[in-house]
């Protein structure tokens, strides 16, 4: 069986892009098998098919995994794997009954998933950001100016900017979605 690995990175807020990426790969004849490491996607050659991929972030569901997975199986979804808190599911497009067949079939359920991502992924990042990166950045910037400290200050600066981009992107997306749901 022919297999392929691709390295691709999706941020916390890009689960929909990741779902579409997996769908397009299957349409091109490469079925998603698993994701490992820091974004190594494993595919195997298959007949091209339109398959819907859905990701769910639900720590409570993972705590009761057997019931959680069975609930999706009962609705025709194939469970694939869990990766960094996300559960991966797929279902052939021909078996879909419009948007109500999606895991998140309305705006409120999508908003609830975003809240779970915030609590499970962004709050820990925010804690690391405030308790470790910010103090380390300022300690290195205001300490004796050795080349080593400048390099560390630069590294911490890059991490600070990266974290800020993640926080701002996610917050803007969440607030836009929340306003849309509340209308």
């Amino acid at each position: 069986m022919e297999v392929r690995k691709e390295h691709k990175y999706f941020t916390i807020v890009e689960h929909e892009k990741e779902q579409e990426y997996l769908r397009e790969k299957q349409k091109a004849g490469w079925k998603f098998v698993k994701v490992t490491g820091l974004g190594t996607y494993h595919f195997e050659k298959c007949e091209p098919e339109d398959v819907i991929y859905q990701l769910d972030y639900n720590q409570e569901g993972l705590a009761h995994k057997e019931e959680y997975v069975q609930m999706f199986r009962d609705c025709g979804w194939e469970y694939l794997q869990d990766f960094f808190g996300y559960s991966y599911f797929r279902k052939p497009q021909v078996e879909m009954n419009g948007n109500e067949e999606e895991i998140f079939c309305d705006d409120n359920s999508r908003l609830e998933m975003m809240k779970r991502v915030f609590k499970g992924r962004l709050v820990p990042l925010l804690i690391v950001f405030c308790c470790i990166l910010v103090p380390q950045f300022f300690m290195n910037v205001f300490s004796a100016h050795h080349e080593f400290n400048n390099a560390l200050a630069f590294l911490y600066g890059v991490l600070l900017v990266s974290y800020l981009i993640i926080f701002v992107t996610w917050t803007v997306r969440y607030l836009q979605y929340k306003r849309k749901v509340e209308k």
Side-chain angles (χ1 to χ4, degrees):
M1 177 159 296
E2 190 176 351
V3 295
R4 175 186 287 180
K5 292 180 187 179
E6 289 187 11
H7 299 284
K8 191 118 171 117
Y9 179 75
F10 295 96
T11 66
I12 294 169
V13 298
E14 295 179 319
H15 69 278
E16 291 170 341
K17 286 183 181 179
E18 185 176 3
Q19 292 172 171
E20 191 57 33
Y21 165 73
L22 297 174
R23 182 179 185 180
E24 292 303 317
K25 295 299 292 181
Q26 183 120 8
K27 283 181 181 179
W30 291 98
K31 180 170 74 172
F32 172 70
V33 176
K34 64 182 176 180
V35 61
T36 59
L38 295 174
T40 302
Y41 289 81
H42 301 253
F43 299 94
E44 61 185 35
K45 189 75 172 151
C46 67
E47 288 297 317
E49 180 182 14
D50 191 6
V51 174
I52 305 298
Y53 284 86
Q54 296 276 280
L55 278 67
D56 185 24
Y57 188 90
N58 191 336
Q59 298 293 52
E60 188 175 315
L62 292 178
H64 304 90
K65 190 170 181 172
E66 192 172 310
E67 296 91 3
Y68 173 72
V69 170
Q70 189 59 48
M71 177 181 69
F72 288 103
R73 281 191 185 124
D74 291 345
C75 295
W77 289 94
E78 176 188 0
Y79 167 76
L80 301 169
Q81 79 170 99
D82 297 314
F83 185 71
F84 285 117
Y86 281 96
S87 297
Y88 288 69
F89 299 92
R90 75 173 152 225
K91 185 176 191 178
Q93 171 63 37
V94 296
E95 295 178 17
M96 297 290 287
N97 185 17
N99 287 345
E100 62 262 8
E101 284 284 325
E102 291 182 7
I103 290 175
F104 303 106
C105 56
D106 62 16
D107 291 335
N108 286 324
S109 64
R110 287 182 192 94
L111 188 61
E112 286 302 313
M113 197 272 259
M114 290 178 85
K115 287 179 185 177
R116 291 191 303 268
V117 169
F118 176 76
K119 289 177 185 175
R121 300 285 295 275
L122 285 173
V123 168
L125 285 177
L126 193 57
I127 291 168
V128 168
F129 179 78
C130 292
C131 295
I132 298 173
L133 291 179
V134 172
Q136 286 296 320
F137 174 73
F138 285 109
M139 285 180 6
N140 281 292
V141 167
F142 294 114
S143 68
H145 293 284
H146 296 88
E147 282 186 33
F148 182 70
N149 287 343
N150 287 339
L152 278 177
F154 177 77
L155 175 65
Y156 284 119
V158 169
L159 288 172
L160 284 175
V161 169
S162 300
Y163 269 64
L164 285 173
I165 289 170
I166 290 170
F167 296 141
V168 169
T169 301
W170 193 90
T171 302
V172 166
R173 184 170 177 209
Y174 175 76
L175 292 174
Q176 287 173 338
Y177 205 80
K178 187 176 179 182
R179 272 188 238 117
K180 177 184 167 188
V181 171
E182 291 173 346
K183 286 184 180 180

